[in-house]
């Protein structure tokens, strides 16, 4: 990677990857705050604030914000996670100055009108209802809640109606003052761009930014671990045709040296069409249309999740097949050919993802903000190549022990009393 970096006098970091062979660029603003940083009465406020920044500034209406980027053929959006929030604009290279200016305007000059806040509460409540009508969305939220219990990372990013309805202009401003500051931000850009030109634009709009008060240090939190009182099996009745299930285990953090082994293990187990779960559950037995796994690393822990949707009568059989695959990985290393296929797919996916300027900006922005530096792709590839069957065997023994598993399922009402 050909990265150019600087830090403004106020502590704001900027990282740029020029890619002269493309016609466009992505500019992204990253803030180290997410649902994990919320107090109980603030549950959902990080996500709500992300919405509110698009509702208008002192100089632009919501329509004018959209027009400034989309009217030039670009894309403007944002996303809130459990530990990070980011705002981005994808535009033609010639529109870099307006992209930086609009994103800066959202950040510094949001109107936060009380009437807009009340209207947006309705929007977010509708978003909640939409999620409630989507079983797989509910499933993954519930899986974290049951497995991690009362830990802040277990909470839904969107919040709950009780807390969202209580948000006020002052409570939103309080959250901004506590978490939005230059020292906790990174501006990341990738595409057809001159680094010095971007540095100048960011300095023009954000160089004089000084928050009203110094941001307090984040409250220390213990790493997320399976809750002591987490049940081995949690069933929730829903109006569903399928049984949607997740088998949840603690994973490793993105600072953990085992993270590359975890990524290979995930690919081998459920992250591909040649994976063990896809072949055993779907191809050989026809039990599921959707079956897979994913690893979700956080700064100090993570989740490893196997998920699927099956006919209610096939639920127990599907779980038995999955548990048998876990036991095999605990008992013995996979063969080298299987591991090689998983390594190759993982390397290919990492490289192909970087064909997008947005993906590249997301990579360098998140890595700079969380790690302080970007791991070069050559090093990532080397780390993946270094994963051996023996390392996967050891990791499977560490992650997949039966006592560490939590099975969460959304089931039809008639099934709830029949599962053993």
């Amino acid at each position: 990677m050909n990265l150019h970096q600087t830090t403004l006098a106020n502590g704001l970091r900027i990282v740029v990857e020029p890619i002269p062979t493309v016609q466009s660029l992505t500019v992204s603003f990253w803030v180290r705050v997410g649902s994990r940083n919320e107090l109980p009465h603030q549950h959902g406020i990080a996500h709500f604030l992300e919405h509110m920044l698009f509702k208008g500034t002192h100089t632009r209406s919501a329509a004018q914000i959209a027009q400034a980027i989309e009217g030039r053929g670009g894309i403007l959006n944002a996303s809130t996670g459990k530990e990070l929030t980011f705002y981005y604009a994808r535009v033609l290279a010639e529109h870099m100055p307006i992209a930086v200016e609009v994103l800066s305007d959202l950040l510094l000059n949001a109107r936060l009108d009380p009437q807009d806040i009340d209207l947006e509460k309705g929007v977010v409540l509708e978003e909640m209802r939409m999620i409630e009508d989507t079983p797989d969305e509910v499933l993954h939220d519930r899986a974290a809640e049951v497995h991690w219990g009362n830990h802040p990372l277990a909470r839904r990013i969107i919040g709950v109606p009780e807390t969202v309805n209580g948000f006020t202009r002052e409570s939103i401003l309080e959250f901004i003052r506590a978490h939005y500051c230059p020292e906790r931000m990174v501006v990341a850009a990738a595409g057809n761009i001159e680094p010095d030109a971007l540095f100048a634009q960011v300095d023009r709009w954000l160089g004089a930014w000084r928050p009203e008060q110094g941001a307090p240090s984040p409250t220390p939190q213990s790493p997320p671990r399976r809750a002591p009182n987490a049940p081995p099996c949690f069933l929730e009745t829903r109006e569903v045709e399928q049984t949607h299930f997740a088998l949840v285990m603690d994973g490793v953090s993105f600072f953990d040296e085992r993270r590359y082994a975890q990524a290979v293990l995930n690919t081998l187990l459920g992250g591909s069409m040649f994976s063990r779960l896809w072949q055993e559950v779907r191809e050989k037995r026809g039990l599921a249309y959707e079956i897979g796994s994913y690893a979700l690393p956080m700064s100090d822990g993570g989740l490893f999740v196997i998920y699927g949707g099956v006919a209610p009568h096939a639920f127990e059989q599907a779980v038995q097949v999955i548990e048998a695959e876990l036991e095999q990985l605990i008992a013995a290393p996979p063969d080298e050919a299987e591991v090689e296929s998983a390594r190759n797919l993982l390397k290919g996916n990492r490289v192909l993802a970087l064909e997008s300027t947005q993906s590249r900006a997301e990579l360098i922005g998140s890595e700079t903000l969380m790690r302080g530096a970007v791991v070069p792709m050559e090093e990532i590839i080397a780390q993946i190549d270094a994963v051996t069957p023996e390392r996967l065997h050891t990791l499977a023994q560490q992650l997949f022990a039966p006592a560490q598993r939590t099975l969460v399922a959304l089931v039809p009402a008639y099934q709830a009393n029949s599962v053993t």
Side-chain angles (χ1 to χ4, degrees), residues 127-142:
E127 187 178 358
M128 290 182 189
R129 295 185 183 102
M130 180 182 70
I131 290 172
E132 288 297 316
D133 283 343
T134 311
D136 55 348
E137 292 266 4
V138 175
L139 173 69
H140 296 288
D141 282 342
R142 198 73 76 247

Side-chain angles (χ1 to χ4, degrees), residues 294-322:
Y294 62 89
L296 185 65
M298 298 290 175
S299 61
D300 56 356
L303 288 179
F304 194 104
V305 180
I306 297 167
Y307 64 92
V310 297
H313 67 81
F315 174 47
E316 291 188 65
Q317 183 186 1
V319 172
Q320 290 169 1
V321 173
I322 292 167

Side-chain angles (χ1 to χ4, degrees), residues 203-221:
D203 189 41
R204 175 185 177 186
W205 298 109
L206 296 179
W209 177 29
R210 300 292 188 278
E212 294 180 21
Q213 62 185 49
S217 299
T219 303
Q221 295 177 358

Side-chain angles (χ1 to χ4, degrees), residues 80-146:
T80 303
K82 291 182 179 291
E83 296 187 299
L84 298 174
T85 304
F86 72 97
Y87 306 82
Y88 68 91
R90 290 181 61 191
V91 294
L92 297 178
E94 65 198 77
H95 299 316
M96 179 273 288
I98 190 65
V100 174
E101 195 263 310
V102 168
L103 289 170
S104 301
D105 194 26
L106 300 184
L107 183 69
L108 299 183
N109 302 313
R111 191 169 59 231
L112 302 177
D113 183 87
Q115 185 175 3
D116 290 337
I117 292 171
D118 288 339
L119 288 173
E120 200 62 25
K121 288 177 184 179
V123 172
V124 172
L125 292 175
E126 287 305 311
E127 187 178 358
M128 290 182 189
R129 295 185 183 102
M130 180 182 70
I131 290 172
E132 288 297 316
D133 283 343
T134 311
D136 55 348
E137 292 266 4
V138 175
L139 173 69
H140 296 288
D141 282 342
R142 198 73 76 247
E145 292 168 357
V146 174

Side-chain angles (χ1 to χ4, degrees), residues 1 17 19 22 260 267 342-361 363 375-385:
M1 288 183 171
E17 182 179 15
I19 310 173
V22 299
Y260 298 106
T267 304
R343 288 193 300 250
N344 288 339
L345 179 59
L346 187 58
K347 290 186 294 184
N349 286 343
R350 294 290 179 100
V351 173
L352 290 173
L354 296 183
E355 296 291 314
S356 159
T357 62
Q358 182 177 334
S359 295
R360 296 181 87 99
L363 172 67
V375 179
M377 184 53 63
E378 296 77 12
E379 181 178 334
I380 292 173
I381 297 300
Q383 292 280 3
I384 293 171
D385 280 334

